[in-house]
Amino acid sequence: MSRIIEKTLNALPTILNQGLETVNYGAHLKTLCHSVLNIDSKYDEEQYIKNEIKYLKEKLNQPDVTSNCLRESLLCCLFCHILSYDVSFSFIHAIKLIQGSIVDKTIGYVLVRCFLNENHELVVLLINSIQKDIKSSNVLEVRLGLIAACSLINTEMIPAVLPLVVDRLNHPKVFIRKKALACLYRFLVISPNSVQHIEDKFRHALTDKDLGVVWSALYLFYHLIQKNAEPYKDLVDSLIHIQGQVINRQIVSEYDYKHIPAPWLQILILKILALLGQGDHETSRKIYPVLAETLQKCETNQEISFAIVDECIITIATVAAQTELLEDATKLVGKFLKSTSKNLQYLGLCSLTKLTILQKSCAAAHQMSIIGCLEDTDNTIKLKTFDLLGVMTNSNNVKVICTRMLSFLTDNTDQSVQETIATKMVDLMIEFSPQMEWFIEVIISTLEILNTRLGNKFVNQIQHKIKRDVSQRADGKETVINLFLAVLQTECKPLPDPVVKVASWVLGEYYKNTTGSSSTHRSADQLTQLLVRHYCQPIGDMTRFYILSAVIKLLPSCHDHEALLTEFNNYHAMCRIENITASLIQKFKELQLLISNKELIKKTSSDITRDTMDFTMSFLDEFVCEALENGAKPYLPGYLRKSQPPVLEETKSLFAGLKMEAYRSDYSALSSSPPASGQAGQTSHAGQDGLWVSRSPVGSSGSGASTAPSNIRDVSVDKT
């Protein structure tokens, strides 16, 4: 830590002077930094900083303080400010420092940008200084003014400096034009409407002779195109021309990075082209040649060239790409996957995933590399490989891919990783699984690995998948019942809650339609006994709710109802009633009611289909008619209720004994002058607004009422 402080203090003059005349700072700033560094406790630090702030405040208030002393004191204040101590007394001195020489102005602007934000009340005092500096003939002052405008000008102050900043777009110095564009970019971000009328200035900047100015203008257009690309389709030709100049090295070599010409500019242009070509075939056809040329020029082993290739692939995946482009990009992805760098391998997997979404055959050429990534020790590489496999999955290879995922799920204990893989695996099995038996076998193995919270997320998806498969097979009901019966009969260990939920739902949903079939080999009484055994296991209340629902559906096929109810009662007698949820108690009450009423059981045994359902709820007609006769209001649809104003109901009967009006004041008169002295029965008081208020004293019932003495505190109230 001390070495960092030393380096910071040594570099401080260079940072603040920025090539200007050398300024020698006293030893006080170094002493302050070293002293704070050597303090052991927070309390000692606070006491030391408080004394230092008191000393700095007195020093800054001296009338004859020198320029060097003022700079050093303000830098000490900045150090205290960084440590989160209040030095607001120094803010005005930093603003005053801006009015001095170019050295004072540089340090002053640095301090002000550290002390203040764009919404600070003192920023108003800087407007004149910023305007003056932007208009200055000194390029250093212009640069400082533009930098300050980027940091400190808020939405309300933009009109005051916008014309001056726009005028600086024509400045002969390149770095001034770049700073002006950066300032306009800031204005565009915080207030887009304030600069929309100068869009032609942005377009003109794209034709600047200096590449740095063009680069700055491209950031403005990138921000605009992200919101709406349609008005800027005409820029495609200009962008293609700029990209062609860059990749053909028709620019100055100072923008090269590791012999790659302006790589970050290429990436920016590719991002803009992707936005402009998205969903537009005509624009995409213009982009194809420059994308192919960019890929061809990037066939090097430099890491920055990999970044350009990756951005090209993203652009190809975004626009309506040609088959030739996809093939060229697929070949280059092999360099990513064969690299020893984990970062490049990850990037290659991401790129190959994007290409495979467009064309499934893209991944076929890299099968061995993909298998190698599956064997990688880095879980991040494995997860991204599984993402790629998910895109490659079809009905022919789903078993192999899901088996590999299940193996990875078994070996990994990280819950977040398990959730990611399990979600992808369940989605793939639901979409591509060829056989119901295989699906149920693998899904049960998956649910046994996951904890209850993760497994419960997939219960509804599994039910929908089973329902779909059962409807497509003649023997689907018997098959699914036998599969889950085998699972429920397992006695080696308690089953996970999600498995019991799905099994209970299957037995309750499909057993009544398979009664008498030789393939089930189980009576309803045996099934209910099996469900009761799992009901008594340490499972969640929602799982017990599923079991009770299944038992209720099996009741019409059962014979020994009383024994069934006795077993449930015995279990509940062993449990404390407060540990059972209300929904479970309600469901158990329904079971008791059904068992006590045989007629209700017969009604539940009848098959209910969509054709027999009464969606008009005509069984409520009698109740509705009776309610309307008793004065109830008819039902109004939602759109009619929204179009009508709310009607306030009469509340007299409910609030008959309460006073609902606002309490009136005891003051009987308000006048602009005090009442005449000696007026009987009234006292006068001067209000806060200069109004004289005359009022009758408490207890007066008329003009002849006696006045109560002012020193009486207890006032009796006549309750009549």
Side-chain angles (χ1 to χ4, degrees), residues 525-541:
D525 291 303
Q526 291 175 319
L527 293 183
T528 53
Q529 293 294 328
L530 191 60
L531 291 172
V532 169
R533 178 164 65 84
H534 286 281
Y535 186 90
C536 299
Q537 296 294 326
I539 56 178
D541 283 348

Side-chain angles (χ1 to χ4, degrees), residues 12-44:
L12 194 58
T14 305
I15 295 171
L16 295 175
N17 294 335
Q18 297 185 3
L20 304 173
E21 58 180 284
T22 304
V23 181
N24 295 320
Y25 301 102
H28 187 72
L29 177 59
K30 292 185 178 181
T31 303
L32 173 63
C33 296
H34 286 299
S35 299
V36 172
L37 182 64
N38 294 325
I39 292 176
D40 296 329
S41 66
K42 180 66 176 175
Y43 175 79
D44 293 340

Side-chain angles (χ1 to χ4, degrees), residues 138-144 146 165 168-169 171-181:
N138 188 333
V139 292
L140 296 179
E141 292 182 352
V142 176
R143 181 179 65 87
L144 292 173
L146 291 172
V165 176
R168 288 307 175 188
L169 292 175
H171 198 278
K173 293 293 183 181
V174 172
F175 68 90
I176 296 297
R177 299 201 298 272
K178 290 167 62 177
K179 290 294 182 185
L181 286 170

Side-chain angles (χ1 to χ4, degrees), residues 227-265:
K227 295 184 177 180
N228 185 14
E230 196 62 33
Y232 307 100
K233 298 285 187 178
D234 57 323
L235 293 177
V236 172
D237 294 332
S238 299
L239 294 171
I240 291 174
H241 178 68
I242 296 171
Q243 179 73 357
Q245 287 183 319
V246 173
I247 60 180
N248 291 315
R249 298 184 179 275
Q250 297 175 6
I251 60 173
V252 292
S253 60
E254 64 181 15
Y255 291 102
D256 289 2
Y257 177 77
K258 293 187 176 180
H259 307 291
I260 304 297
W264 288 277
L265 177 59

